[in-house]
Coordinates of all heavy atoms in Angstrom, one line a residue:
V7 N -17.7 -15.2 -4.9 CA -16.3 -15.5 -4.4 C -16.1 -15.1 -3.0 O -16.4 -13.9 -2.7 CB -15.2 -14.6 -5.4 CG1 -13.8 -14.9 -4.8 CG2 -15.4 -15.2 -6.7
S8 N -15.7 -15.9 -2.2 CA -15.6 -15.6 -0.7 C -14.2 -14.9 -0.6 O -13.3 -15.3 -1.1 CB -15.6 -16.8 0.1 OG -15.2 -16.6 1.5
V9 N -14.2 -13.9 0.2 CA -12.9 -13.2 0.5 C -12.5 -13.3 1.9 O -11.5 -12.8 2.4 CB -13.0 -11.6 0.1 CG1 -13.1 -11.4 -1.2 CG2 -14.1 -11.0 1.0
R10 N -13.4 -14.0 2.7 CA -13.1 -14.2 4.1 C -11.7 -14.8 4.3 O -11.3 -15.8 3.5 CB -14.2 -15.0 4.8 CG -14.0 -15.2 6.3 CD -15.1 -15.8 6.8 NE -15.1 -15.9 8.3 CZ -15.2 -15.0 9.2 NH1 -15.8 -13.8 8.8 NH2 -15.2 -15.2 10.4
G11 N -10.8 -14.5 5.2 CA -9.6 -15.0 5.4 C -8.6 -14.3 4.6 O -7.4 -14.4 4.9
M12 N -9.0 -13.5 3.5 CA -7.9 -12.6 2.8 C -7.3 -11.6 3.7 O -8.0 -11.1 4.7 CB -8.6 -12.0 1.6 CG -8.8 -13.0 0.5 SD -9.4 -12.1 -1.0 CE -7.8 -11.7 -1.7
I13 N -6.2 -11.3 3.5 CA -5.5 -10.3 4.2 C -5.3 -9.0 3.3 O -5.0 -9.1 2.2 CB -4.0 -10.9 4.8 CG1 -4.1 -12.0 5.6 CG2 -3.3 -9.7 5.4 CD1 -5.0 -11.8 6.9
K14 N -5.5 -7.8 4.1 CA -5.4 -6.6 3.5 C -4.3 -5.8 4.3 O -4.4 -5.6 5.5 CB -6.6 -5.7 3.4 CG -6.6 -4.5 2.7 CD -7.9 -3.8 2.5 CE -8.6 -3.4 3.7 NZ -9.9 -2.7 3.4
V15 N -3.4 -5.3 3.6 CA -2.2 -4.4 4.2 C -2.6 -3.0 3.7 O -2.7 -2.7 2.6 CB -1.0 -4.8 3.9 CG1 0.1 -3.9 4.5 CG2 -0.8 -6.3 4.2
T16 N -2.9 -2.0 4.6 CA -3.1 -0.8 4.3 C -2.1 0.2 4.7 O -1.6 0.1 5.9 CB -4.6 -0.3 5.0 OG1 -5.5 -1.2 4.8 CG2 -5.0 1.2 4.7
F17 N -1.6 1.0 3.7 CA -0.6 2.0 4.0 C -1.3 3.4 4.0 O -1.9 3.8 3.0 CB 0.6 1.9 2.9 CG 1.2 0.6 2.9 CD1 0.7 -0.4 2.1 CD2 2.3 0.5 3.6 CE1 1.3 -1.6 2.1 CE2 3.1 -0.9 3.5 CZ 2.5 -1.8 2.7
L18 N -1.1 4.0 5.1 CA -1.8 5.4 5.3 C -0.6 6.5 5.3 O 0.2 6.5 6.2 CB -2.5 5.6 6.5 CG -3.7 4.5 6.7 CD1 -4.1 4.5 8.1 CD2 -4.7 4.9 5.7
Y19 N -0.4 7.1 4.2 CA 0.7 8.0 3.9 C 0.3 9.4 4.5 O -0.7 10.0 4.1 CB 1.1 8.2 2.5 CG 1.9 6.9 2.1 CD1 1.1 6.0 1.3 CD2 3.2 6.7 2.2 CE1 1.6 4.8 0.8 CE2 3.7 5.6 1.9 CZ 3.0 4.6 1.1 OH 3.6 3.4 0.6
G20 N 1.0 9.9 5.4 CA 0.9 11.3 6.0 C 1.2 12.3 4.7 O 1.8 12.0 3.8
H21 N 0.8 13.6 5.0 CA 1.0 14.6 3.9 C 2.6 14.8 3.7 O 3.3 15.2 4.7 CB 0.4 15.9 4.4 CG -1.1 15.8 4.3 ND1 -2.0 16.0 3.3 CD2 -2.0 15.4 5.3 CE1 -3.1 15.7 3.4 NE2 -3.2 15.5 4.7
P22 N 3.1 14.7 2.6 CA 4.5 14.8 2.3 C 4.8 16.3 2.3 O 4.1 17.1 2.1 CB 4.7 14.3 0.9 CG 3.4 14.4 0.3 CD 2.3 14.3 1.4
K23 N 6.2 16.5 2.5 CA 6.8 17.8 2.4 C 6.5 18.5 1.1 O 6.4 19.6 0.9 CB 8.2 17.9 3.0 CG 8.4 17.5 4.5 CD 9.8 17.4 4.9 CE 9.9 16.9 6.2 NZ 11.2 16.4 6.7
D24 N 6.8 17.6 0.0 CA 6.7 18.1 -1.3 C 5.9 17.1 -2.1 O 6.4 16.0 -2.5 CB 8.1 18.1 -1.9 CG 8.2 18.6 -3.3 OD1 7.1 18.6 -4.0 OD2 9.3 18.8 -3.8
P25 N 4.6 17.4 -2.2 CA 3.6 16.5 -2.9 C 3.9 16.1 -4.3 O 3.9 15.0 -4.7 CB 2.2 17.2 -2.8 CG 2.4 18.1 -1.6 CD 3.7 18.5 -1.6
A26 N 4.5 17.1 -4.9 CA 5.0 16.7 -6.5 C 6.0 15.7 -6.4 O 6.0 14.9 -7.3 CB 5.3 18.1 -7.2
A27 N 7.1 15.8 -5.6 CA 8.1 14.9 -5.4 C 7.5 13.5 -5.1 O 8.1 12.6 -5.6 CB 9.2 15.4 -4.5
F28 N 6.6 13.5 -4.1 CA 6.0 12.2 -3.8 C 5.5 11.7 -4.8 O 5.7 10.4 -5.2 CB 4.9 12.6 -2.7 CG 4.1 11.4 -2.1 CD1 4.6 10.9 -0.8 CD2 3.2 10.8 -2.8 CE1 4.0 9.8 -0.3 CE2 2.6 9.7 -2.3 CZ 3.0 9.2 -1.0
E29 N 4.5 12.3 -5.7 CA 3.9 11.7 -6.8 C 4.8 11.2 -7.9 O 4.6 10.2 -8.4 CB 2.8 12.7 -7.4 CG 1.7 13.2 -6.4 CD 0.7 12.0 -6.1 OE1 0.6 11.0 -7.0 OE2 0.2 11.9 -5.0
K30 N 5.8 12.0 -8.2 CA 6.9 11.7 -9.1 C 7.4 10.4 -8.7 O 7.7 9.5 -9.6 CB 7.8 12.9 -9.4 CG 8.9 12.6 -10.4 CD 9.8 13.8 -10.5 CE 10.8 13.9 -11.5 NZ 11.3 13.0 -12.3
H31 N 7.9 10.3 -7.4 CA 8.6 9.1 -7.0 C 7.7 7.8 -7.1 O 8.2 6.8 -7.5 CB 9.2 9.3 -5.6 CG 10.0 8.0 -5.1 ND1 11.4 8.3 -5.2 CD2 9.8 7.0 -4.6 CE1 12.0 7.2 -4.9 NE2 11.0 6.4 -4.4
I32 N 6.5 7.9 -6.7 CA 5.6 6.9 -6.7 C 5.3 6.3 -8.1 O 5.5 5.1 -8.3 CB 4.2 7.3 -6.2 CG1 4.2 7.5 -4.6 CG2 3.0 6.3 -6.7 CD1 4.0 6.1 -3.9
V33 N 5.2 7.2 -9.1 CA 5.1 6.7 -10.5 C 6.4 6.2 -11.1 O 6.4 5.1 -11.7 CB 4.6 7.8 -11.3 CG1 4.5 7.6 -12.8 CG2 3.1 8.3 -10.9
E34 N 7.4 6.9 -11.0 CA 8.7 6.5 -11.6 C 9.6 5.5 -10.8 O 10.3 4.8 -11.6 CB 9.6 7.7 -11.8 CG 8.9 8.8 -12.7 CD 9.7 10.1 -13.0 OE1 10.9 10.1 -12.4 OE2 9.3 11.0 -13.6
V35 N 9.4 5.3 -9.7 CA 10.3 4.4 -8.8 C 9.5 3.4 -8.1 O 9.7 2.1 -8.3 CB 11.3 5.2 -7.9 CG1 12.2 4.2 -7.2 CG2 12.1 6.2 -8.7
H36 N 8.6 3.8 -7.2 CA 7.9 2.8 -6.3 C 7.1 1.9 -7.0 O 6.9 0.6 -6.8 CB 7.1 3.6 -5.2 CG 6.8 2.8 -4.0 ND1 7.8 2.3 -3.2 CD2 5.6 2.4 -3.7 CE1 7.0 1.6 -2.2 NE2 5.8 1.6 -2.5
N37 N 6.2 2.4 -7.9 CA 5.2 1.6 -8.5 C 5.9 0.4 -9.4 O 5.5 -0.7 -9.5 CB 4.2 2.3 -9.5 CG 3.1 3.0 -8.6 OD1 3.0 2.8 -7.3 ND2 2.3 3.8 -9.2
P38 N 7.0 0.8 -10.1 CA 7.8 -0.3 -10.9 C 8.4 -1.2 -9.9 O 8.3 -2.4 -10.3 CB 8.8 0.5 -11.6 CG 8.2 1.9 -11.9 CD 7.4 2.2 -10.6
L39 N 8.8 -0.8 -8.8 CA 9.3 -1.9 -7.9 C 8.2 -2.7 -7.3 O 8.3 -4.0 -7.3 CB 10.0 -1.2 -6.6 CG 11.5 -0.5 -6.7 CD1 11.7 0.2 -5.5 CD2 12.4 -1.6 -7.0
A40 N 7.1 -2.1 -6.9 CA 5.9 -2.9 -6.4 C 5.4 -4.0 -7.4 O 4.9 -5.0 -7.0 CB 4.9 -1.9 -5.9
S41 N 5.4 -3.5 -8.7 CA 4.8 -4.4 -9.7 C 5.5 -5.7 -9.8 O 5.1 -6.6 -10.4 CB 4.9 -3.7 -10.9 OG 6.2 -3.5 -11.5
K42 N 6.9 -5.8 -9.3 CA 7.5 -7.0 -9.4 C 7.3 -7.9 -8.2 O 7.7 -9.1 -8.2 CB 9.1 -6.7 -9.3 CG 9.5 -5.9 -10.5 CD 11.1 -5.5 -10.5 CE 11.4 -4.6 -11.6 NZ 12.7 -4.2 -11.5
V43 N 6.6 -7.5 -7.2 CA 6.1 -8.4 -6.1 C 5.1 -9.3 -6.4 O 4.0 -9.0 -6.8 CB 5.8 -7.4 -4.8 CG1 5.5 -8.3 -3.7 CG2 6.9 -6.4 -4.4
K44 N 5.5 -10.6 -6.2 CA 4.5 -11.6 -6.6 C 3.5 -12.0 -5.4 O 3.7 -11.6 -4.2 CB 5.2 -13.0 -6.8 CG 6.2 -12.8 -8.0 CD 5.5 -12.7 -9.3 CE 6.7 -12.7 -10.4 NZ 6.6 -11.5 -11.2
G45 N 2.3 -12.4 -5.7 CA 1.3 -12.8 -4.7 C 0.3 -11.8 -4.3 O -0.5 -12.1 -3.4
I46 N 0.4 -10.5 -4.8 CA -0.6 -9.5 -4.4 C -1.7 -9.8 -5.4 O -1.7 -9.9 -6.5 CB 0.0 -8.0 -4.7 CG1 1.2 -7.9 -3.8 CG2 -1.1 -7.1 -4.3 CD1 1.9 -6.6 -4.0
R47 N -3.0 -9.9 -4.7 CA -4.2 -10.3 -5.4 C -4.9 -9.1 -6.0 O -5.6 -9.0 -7.1 CB -5.1 -11.1 -4.6 CG -4.7 -12.5 -4.3 CD -4.7 -13.3 -5.6 NE -4.0 -14.5 -5.3 CZ -3.3 -15.1 -6.3 NH1 -3.2 -14.6 -7.5 NH2 -2.8 -16.3 -6.0
R48 N -4.7 -8.0 -5.3 CA -5.4 -6.8 -5.7 C -4.8 -5.6 -5.1 O -4.2 -5.7 -3.9 CB -6.9 -6.9 -5.1 CG -7.8 -5.6 -5.3 CD -9.3 -6.1 -4.8 NE -10.0 -4.8 -4.5 CZ -11.2 -5.0 -4.0 NH1 -11.7 -6.1 -3.7 NH2 -11.8 -3.9 -3.6
V49 N -4.8 -4.5 -5.7 CA -4.1 -3.2 -5.2 C -5.0 -2.1 -5.6 O -5.8 -2.0 -6.5 CB -2.9 -2.9 -6.2 CG1 -2.3 -1.5 -5.7 CG2 -1.8 -4.0 -6.0
E50 N -5.3 -1.2 -4.5 CA -6.1 -0.1 -4.5 C -5.4 1.1 -4.0 O -4.6 1.1 -3.0 CB -7.3 -0.2 -3.7 CG -8.3 -1.3 -4.2 CD -9.6 -1.3 -3.3 OE1 -9.9 -0.3 -2.5 OE2 -10.4 -2.3 -3.5
T51 N -5.4 2.2 -4.8 CA -4.7 3.4 -4.4 C -5.7 4.6 -4.4 O -6.6 4.6 -5.4 CB -3.5 3.7 -5.3 OG1 -3.8 3.9 -6.6 CG2 -2.4 2.5 -5.4
A52 N -5.6 5.3 -3.5 CA -6.5 6.6 -3.5 C -5.8 7.9 -2.9 O -4.8 7.6 -2.0 CB -7.6 6.2 -2.6
K53 N -6.2 8.9 -3.3 CA -5.6 10.1 -2.9 C -6.9 10.7 -2.0 O -8.1 10.9 -2.6 CB -5.2 11.1 -3.9 CG -4.5 12.3 -3.5 CD -3.9 13.1 -4.7 CE -3.2 14.3 -4.2 NZ -2.6 15.0 -5.3
T54 N -6.6 11.1 -0.8 CA -7.8 11.7 0.0 C -8.1 13.1 -0.4 O -7.5 13.7 -1.1 CB -7.3 11.8 1.5 OG1 -6.1 12.7 1.6 CG2 -6.9 10.5 2.0
V55 N -9.3 13.3 0.0 CA -10.0 14.7 -0.5 C -10.4 15.4 0.7 O -10.6 14.8 2.0 CB -11.1 14.6 -1.4 CG1 -10.6 13.9 -2.7 CG2 -12.2 13.7 -0.7
G56 N -10.5 16.7 0.7 CA -11.0 17.6 1.8 C -9.8 18.2 2.6 O -8.7 17.6 2.7
P57 N -10.0 19.4 3.0 CA -9.0 20.2 3.5 C -8.5 19.6 4.9 O -7.4 20.0 5.4 CB -9.6 21.6 3.9 CG -11.0 21.3 3.9 CD -11.3 20.2 2.9
D58 N -9.2 18.8 5.6 CA -8.9 18.3 7.0 C -8.6 16.8 6.9 O -8.4 16.2 7.9 CB -10.1 18.4 7.9 CG -10.5 19.9 8.1 OD1 -9.6 20.7 8.1 OD2 -11.6 20.3 8.3
A59 N -8.2 16.3 5.6 CA -7.9 15.0 5.7 C -6.5 14.6 6.5 O -5.5 15.3 6.3 CB -7.6 14.6 4.1
K60 N -6.6 13.7 7.2 CA -5.4 13.2 8.2 C -4.3 12.8 7.3 O -3.1 12.9 7.6 CB -5.9 12.3 9.2 CG -4.9 12.0 10.1 CD -5.2 11.1 11.4 CE -4.1 10.8 12.3 NZ -4.5 10.1 13.3
Y61 N -4.8 12.0 6.3 CA -3.7 11.2 5.4 C -3.8 11.8 4.0 O -4.8 12.4 3.6 CB -3.9 9.7 5.4 CG -3.7 9.2 6.8 CD1 -4.9 8.7 7.5 CD2 -2.5 9.1 7.4 CE1 -4.7 8.3 8.8 CE2 -2.4 8.5 8.7 CZ -3.5 8.0 9.3 OH -3.4 7.6 10.6
Y62 N -2.7 11.7 3.3 CA -2.5 12.3 1.9 C -2.9 11.2 0.9 O -3.6 11.4 -0.1 CB -1.0 12.5 1.7 CG -0.6 13.1 0.3 CD1 -1.1 14.2 -0.2 CD2 0.1 12.3 -0.5 CE1 -0.9 14.6 -1.4 CE2 0.5 12.7 -1.8 CZ -0.1 13.8 -2.3 OH 0.3 14.3 -3.5
R63 N -2.4 9.9 1.0 CA -2.7 8.9 0.2 C -3.0 7.5 1.0 O -2.4 7.5 2.1 CB -1.6 8.6 -0.8 CG -1.7 9.3 -2.1 CD -0.7 8.8 -3.1 NE -1.0 9.4 -4.4 CZ -2.0 9.0 -5.2 NH1 -2.9 8.0 -4.9 NH2 -2.3 9.7 -6.3
I64 N -3.7 6.7 0.3 CA -4.0 5.4 0.9 C -3.6 4.3 0.0 O -4.2 4.3 -1.1 CB -5.5 5.2 1.4 CG1 -5.8 6.2 2.5 CG2 -5.8 3.8 1.9 CD1 -7.3 6.5 2.7
H65 N -2.8 3.3 0.3 CA -2.6 2.2 -0.7 C -2.9 0.9 0.0 O -2.5 0.8 1.3 CB -1.0 2.2 -1.0 CG -0.6 3.3 -2.0 ND1 0.7 3.5 -2.3 CD2 -1.4 4.4 -2.4 CE1 0.8 4.6 -3.0 NE2 -0.5 5.2 -3.1
E66 N -3.7 0.1 -0.6 CA -4.1 -1.2 0.0 C -3.6 -2.4 -0.9 O -3.9 -2.3 -2.2 CB -5.5 -1.2 0.2 CG -6.1 -0.2 1.0 CD -7.6 -0.1 1.3 OE1 -8.3 -0.2 0.3 OE2 -7.9 -0.1 2.4
L67 N -3.1 -3.3 -0.3 CA -2.6 -4.6 -1.0 C -3.4 -5.8 -0.4 O -3.5 -5.9 0.7 CB -1.1 -4.9 -0.7 CG -0.1 -3.7 -1.1 CD1 1.3 -4.0 -0.8 CD2 -0.4 -3.2 -2.5
W68 N -4.0 -6.6 -1.2 CA -4.8 -7.7 -0.8 C -3.9 -9.0 -1.1 O -3.4 -9.3 -2.2 CB -6.1 -7.7 -1.5 CG -6.9 -6.6 -1.2 CD1 -6.7 -5.3 -1.6 CD2 -8.2 -6.7 -0.9 NE1 -7.8 -4.5 -1.2 CE2 -8.8 -5.4 -0.7 CE3 -9.1 -7.7 -0.5 CZ2 -10.1 -5.1 -0.3 CZ3 -10.5 -7.3 0.0 CH2 -10.9 -6.1 0.1
F69 N -4.0 -9.9 -0.1 CA -3.3 -11.2 -0.2 C -4.4 -12.4 0.2 O -5.3 -12.1 0.8 CB -2.2 -11.2 0.8 CG -1.2 -10.3 0.5 CD1 -1.2 -9.0 1.2 CD2 -0.1 -10.5 -0.5 CE1 -0.3 -8.0 0.8 CE2 0.8 -9.5 -0.7 CZ 0.8 -8.2 0.0
D70 N -4.1 -13.7 -0.4 CA -5.0 -14.8 -0.2 C -5.1 -15.1 1.3 O -6.0 -15.5 1.8 CB -4.4 -16.0 -0.9 CG -4.8 -15.9 -2.4 OD1 -5.6 -15.1 -2.8 OD2 -4.0 -16.5 -3.3
D71 N -4.0 -14.9 2.0 CA -3.9 -15.3 3.5 C -2.6 -14.8 4.0 O -1.8 -14.1 3.3 CB -4.1 -16.8 3.7 CG -3.1 -17.7 2.8 OD1 -1.9 -17.1 2.7 OD2 -3.4 -18.8 2.5
V72 N -2.5 -15.0 5.3 CA -1.3 -14.4 6.1 C 0.0 -14.9 5.5 O 1.1 -14.3 5.2 CB -1.5 -14.9 7.6 CG1 0.0 -14.4 8.3 CG2 -2.5 -14.0 8.2
D73 N 0.0 -16.4 5.2 CA 1.2 -16.9 4.7 C 1.6 -16.3 3.3 O 2.8 -16.1 3.0 CB 1.0 -18.4 4.5 CG 0.9 -19.2 5.8 OD1 1.5 -18.7 6.8 OD2 0.4 -20.3 5.7
A74 N 0.6 -16.1 2.5 CA 0.8 -15.4 1.3 C 1.4 -14.0 1.4 O 2.5 -13.5 0.8 CB -0.5 -15.5 0.3
M75 N 0.9 -13.3 2.3 CA 1.3 -11.9 2.7 C 2.8 -11.9 3.1 O 3.7 -11.2 2.7 CB 0.5 -11.2 3.7 CG 0.9 -9.8 4.2 SD 0.3 -9.3 5.7 CE 1.1 -10.5 6.9
Q76 N 3.1 -12.8 4.0 CA 4.4 -12.9 4.5 C 5.5 -13.3 3.5 O 6.6 -12.8 3.4 CB 4.5 -13.9 5.7 CG 3.8 -13.3 7.0 CD 3.8 -14.3 8.1 OE1 3.8 -15.5 8.0 NE2 3.5 -13.8 9.3
A77 N 5.1 -14.3 2.6 CA 6.0 -14.7 1.4 C 6.2 -13.6 0.6 O 7.3 -13.4 0.1 CB 5.4 -16.0 0.8
S78 N 5.2 -12.7 0.2 CA 5.3 -11.8 -0.8 C 6.1 -10.5 -0.1 O 7.0 -10.2 -0.8 CB 3.7 -11.3 -1.0 OG 3.8 -10.3 -2.0
L79 N 5.7 -10.1 1.0 CA 6.4 -9.0 1.5 C 7.9 -9.3 2.0 O 8.7 -8.5 2.1 CB 5.7 -8.4 2.6 CG 4.3 -7.8 2.2 CD1 3.5 -7.2 3.4 CD2 4.3 -6.8 1.1
G80 N 8.0 -10.6 2.3 CA 9.4 -11.0 2.7 C 10.4 -11.4 1.5 O 11.5 -11.7 1.7
S81 N 9.8 -11.4 0.3 CA 10.6 -11.7 -0.8 C 11.7 -10.6 -1.1 O 11.6 -9.5 -0.5 CB 9.7 -11.8 -2.0 OG 9.2 -10.6 -2.4
P82 N 12.7 -10.8 -1.8 CA 13.7 -9.7 -2.1 C 12.9 -8.5 -2.8 O 13.2 -7.4 -2.5 CB 14.7 -10.4 -3.2 CG 14.5 -11.9 -2.8 CD 13.1 -12.1 -2.4
E83 N 12.1 -8.8 -3.7 CA 11.2 -7.7 -4.3 C 10.4 -7.0 -3.3 O 10.3 -5.7 -3.4 CB 10.3 -8.2 -5.4 CG 11.0 -8.9 -6.5 CD 11.4 -10.4 -6.2 OE1 11.1 -11.0 -5.1 OE2 12.0 -11.1 -7.2
G84 N 9.8 -7.7 -2.3 CA 8.9 -7.0 -1.4 C 9.8 -6.2 -0.5 O 9.5 -5.1 0.0
A85 N 11.1 -6.8 -0.1 CA 11.9 -6.0 0.8 C 12.5 -4.7 0.0 O 12.6 -3.6 0.7 CB 13.2 -6.9 1.2
A86 N 12.8 -4.8 -1.3 CA 13.2 -3.6 -2.0 C 12.1 -2.5 -2.0 O 12.3 -1.2 -1.9 CB 13.5 -4.0 -3.4
T87 N 10.8 -3.1 -2.2 CA 9.7 -2.0 -2.2 C 9.5 -1.4 -0.9 O 9.3 -0.2 -0.8 CB 8.5 -2.8 -2.6 OG1 8.7 -3.4 -3.9 CG2 7.3 -1.7 -2.8
K88 N 9.6 -2.2 0.2 CA 9.6 -1.7 1.6 C 10.7 -0.6 1.8 O 10.4 0.4 2.4 CB 9.5 -2.8 2.6 CG 9.4 -2.4 4.0 CD 9.4 -3.6 5.0 CE 9.5 -3.1 6.3 NZ 9.5 -4.1 7.3
A89 N 11.8 -1.0 1.4 CA 13.0 0.0 1.6 C 12.8 1.3 1.0 O 13.2 2.3 1.5 CB 14.3 -0.7 1.4
D90 N 12.2 1.3 -0.2 CA 12.0 2.5 -0.9 C 11.0 3.5 -0.2 O 11.1 4.7 -0.5 CB 11.4 2.1 -2.3 CG 11.3 3.3 -3.1 OD1 12.3 4.0 -3.4 OD2 10.2 3.6 -3.7
V91 N 10.2 3.0 0.7 CA 9.2 3.8 1.3 C 9.9 5.0 1.9 O 9.4 6.2 1.8 CB 8.2 3.1 2.2 CG1 7.4 4.0 3.1 CG2 7.4 2.1 1.5
A92 N 10.9 4.9 2.7 CA 11.7 6.1 3.3 C 12.1 7.0 2.4 O 12.5 8.1 2.7 CB 12.9 5.4 4.1
N93 N 12.3 6.7 1.0 CA 12.7 7.7 0.0 C 11.7 8.7 -0.4 O 12.0 9.7 -1.0 CB 13.2 7.0 -1.2 CG 14.4 6.1 -1.0 OD1 15.3 6.3 -0.1 ND2 14.5 4.9 -1.5
F94 N 10.4 8.5 -0.1 CA 9.4 9.4 -0.4 C 8.3 9.7 0.6 O 7.7 10.7 0.5 CB 8.7 9.0 -1.9 CG 7.8 7.7 -1.5 CD1 6.5 7.8 -1.2 CD2 8.4 6.5 -1.7 CE1 5.7 6.6 -0.9 CE2 7.6 5.2 -1.6 CZ 6.3 5.4 -1.2
A95 N 8.2 8.9 1.7 CA 7.1 9.1 2.7 C 7.6 10.1 3.7 O 7.7 9.7 4.9 CB 6.8 7.7 3.2
T96 N 7.8 11.4 3.2 CA 8.3 12.3 4.2 C 7.2 12.8 5.1 O 7.5 13.5 6.3 CB 8.7 13.6 3.4 OG1 7.8 14.0 2.6 CG2 10.0 13.3 2.6
G97 N 6.0 12.4 5.0 CA 5.0 12.7 5.9 C 4.7 11.5 7.0 O 3.9 11.5 7.7
G98 N 5.6 10.4 6.8 CA 5.4 9.3 7.6 C 4.4 8.5 7.1 O 3.6 8.8 6.1
V99 N 4.3 7.1 7.5 CA 3.4 6.1 7.0 C 2.9 5.3 8.2 O 3.7 4.8 9.1 CB 4.0 5.3 5.8 CG1 5.2 4.5 6.4 CG2 2.9 4.3 5.3
T100 N 1.6 5.0 8.3 CA 1.1 4.1 9.1 C 0.6 2.8 8.4 O 0.0 2.9 7.3 CB -0.2 4.8 9.9 OG1 0.2 5.9 10.5 CG2 -0.9 3.8 10.8
V101 N 0.9 1.6 8.9 CA 0.6 0.4 8.3 C -0.4 -0.4 9.1 O -0.1 -0.5 10.3 CB 1.8 -0.5 7.9 CG1 1.5 -1.7 7.3 CG2 2.8 0.4 7.1
L102 N -1.4 -0.9 8.6 CA -2.5 -1.7 9.2 C -2.6 -3.0 8.5 O -2.6 -3.1 7.3 CB -3.8 -0.9 9.2 CG -3.9 0.4 9.7 CD1 -5.4 1.0 9.6 CD2 -3.7 0.4 11.2
V103 N -2.6 -4.1 9.2 CA -2.9 -5.4 8.5 C -4.3 -5.9 9.1 O -4.5 -5.9 10.3 CB -1.8 -6.3 9.0 CG1 -2.0 -7.7 8.4 CG2 -0.5 -5.8 8.4
S104 N -5.2 -6.2 8.3 CA -6.4 -6.7 8.6 C -6.9 -7.9 7.9 O -6.4 -8.2 6.7 CB -7.5 -5.5 8.4 OG -7.5 -5.0 7.1
E105 N -7.8 -8.7 8.6 CA -8.4 -9.8 7.9 C -9.7 -9.5 7.3 O -10.5 -8.9 8.1 CB -8.6 -11.1 8.8 CG -9.1 -12.3 8.2 CD -9.2 -13.5 9.1 OE1 -9.0 -13.3 10.3 OE2 -9.4 -14.5 8.6
I106 N -10.0 -9.7 6.2 CA -11.3 -9.4 5.4 C -12.4 -10.3 6.1 O -12.2 -11.5 6.1 CB -11.3 -9.4 4.0 CG1 -10.2 -8.6 3.5 CG2 -12.6 -9.1 3.3 CD1 -10.1 -7.2 3.9
E107 N -13.3 -9.7 6.5 CA -14.5 -10.6 7.1 C -15.8 -10.7 6.2 O -16.5 -11.6 6.5 CB -15.1 -9.8 8.5 CG -13.9 -9.8 9.5 CD -14.4 -9.2 10.7 OE1 -15.3 -8.3 10.7 OE2 -14.1 -9.5 11.9
G108 N -15.8 -10.0 5.1 CA -17.0 -10.2 4.2 C -16.8 -9.1 3.0 O -15.9 -8.2 3.1
H109 N -17.7 -9.2 2.0 CA -17.5 -8.5 0.8 C -19.0 -8.1 0.5 O -19.7 -9.0 0.4 CB -16.9 -9.1 -0.1 CG -16.6 -8.3 -1.4 ND1 -16.1 -7.1 -1.4 CD2 -16.6 -8.6 -2.7 CE1 -16.0 -6.5 -2.5 NE2 -16.4 -7.3 -3.4
H110 N -19.3 -6.8 0.3 CA -20.7 -6.5 -0.1 C -20.6 -5.8 -1.5 O -19.7 -5.2 -1.9 CB -21.2 -5.3 0.9 CG -21.2 -5.8 2.3 ND1 -22.1 -6.6 2.7 CD2 -20.3 -5.5 3.4 CE1 -21.9 -6.8 4.0 NE2 -20.7 -6.2 4.4

């Protein structure tokens, strides 16, 4: 399966002021909101390890292409999910959009 042309949106969450509150909000509020967003092909979430990790969590969303990403994130469900980020990302968030060039 070719993944070239797919778009990946990466959310790099900084270390929150209250990690327990961050995790609780992700599970109880944010993930249920995000699960309603259509057009996401793949989701990966990870918690960083090591004492010097710059970021706390990494969330990646994969889309078929730019148009699919824009439609998905621009939908009412996507807007609600995006608006919720400010409710828990007390350590800030960096967002990267990239085009997948290959898959190994």
Side-chain angles (χ1 to χ4, degrees):
V7 175
S8 173
V9 296
R10 187 172 181 82
M12 287 189 81
I13 297 296
K14 180 170 66 171
V15 181
T16 304
F17 298 86
L18 302 168
Y19 290 100
H21 293 274
K23 294 175 185 165
D24 183 345
F28 181 103
E29 295 296 331
K30 183 176 184 349
H31 191 93
I32 284 282
V33 170
E34 295 179 2
V35 179
H36 195 72
N37 288 349
L39 282 173
S41 71
K42 296 176 183 173
V43 180
K44 305 288 187 236
I46 300 172
R47 291 290 171 215
R48 178 171 156 186
V49 175
E50 291 184 12
T51 63
K53 191 171 180 183
T54 59
V55 296
D58 298 327
K60 182 173 181 179
Y61 298 103
Y62 176 70
R63 274 198 166 277
I64 302 166
H65 292 178
E66 295 179 315
L67 309 178
W68 297 57
F69 300 91
D70 287 337
D71 53 34
V72 171
D73 291 339
M75 176 196 70
Q76 290 174 336
S78 181
L79 298 181
S81 70
E83 296 84 1
T87 304
K88 180 180 176 183
D90 183 55
V91 171
N93 295 325
F94 66 90
T96 55
V99 62
T100 299
V101 180
L102 306 173
V103 177
S104 54
E105 182 178 15
I106 305 303
E107 295 180 333
H109 185 44
H110 302 283

